[in-house]
Amino acid sequence: MNENQAIKNLDEIITNIESSRLSLNAHHIVQLVAISKYNTADDIKTLYKCGQRAFGENKVQDLKEKSEILADLPISWHFVGRLQTNKINQLIDLNPVLMHSLESVEMAKELDKRLKVKNKTMNCLLQINSAKEDTKAGVMPQLALETYKNIKKTLSNINLCGVMSIGAHTEDENVIKQSFKTTKEIFDLLKNDGATICSMGMSGDYKLAIELGSNLIRVGSAIFKEN
Ligand SMILES: *Cc1c(COP(=O)(O)O)cnc(C)c1O
């Protein structure tokens, strides 16, 4: 991807973010995280030059490799993938600014335990399977409040900052909408428990997600596209 392409992609996405957020509320601020899992460190650098500062990866190994190559740039790195138990220590050592995909109490306990050993904390989001799809990770919506509060109360090295969801995998906009609404309702109920981030929306559905209250979108293919 060259710089002209990167500017074009960013302009398009920023324009869309702007109109979607204004349709919700003039004070609604949306963070854009570029998901670079299918892209090279060079592509990340190109987007960085055009102003993008937050990037996310879904594999610990890729996060390690790319963040090492780009260590001289002040990039905020996010982790958005399924975390394998044998990769937890590596992830902790990489100091991600936010881990979006805490998917169960068991995983949270394991992460908290290893964080305590290293005397560190990690900002995390609880992933909610609001589309209720077998292929998706995350806690079921009816268990989300209880799980969130439980982690918040008992696992002191995990700093829970909010919730994350992947929109329903369908063409049916109403079904996608419903999955986002479910997560937003849970997010609203957790605001008194310190939830400030509602991470939802990807290339195909970020406009809808923002209109329904997302304040962090994770955009991959649309930000790295080549046309
Ligand atoms: C890949 C990925 C994205 C970005 O997907 P696009 O459709 O390419 O924008 C967002 N969130 C997660 C968790 C992902 O794995």
Side-chain angles (χ1 to χ4, degrees), residues 201-214:
M202 324 203 308
S203 294
D205 56 20
Y206 67 87
K207 288 179 261 185
L208 198 58
I210 295 168
E211 285 157 21
L212 294 169
S214 165

Side-chain angles (χ1 to χ4, degrees), residues 35 37-38 58 80-81 164 166 201-204 218-222:
I35 305 300
K37 64 187 181 206
Y38 297 133
N58 73 337
V80 301
M164 179 275 229
I166 298 174
M202 324 203 308
S203 294
R218 311 176 308 270
V219 180
S221 41

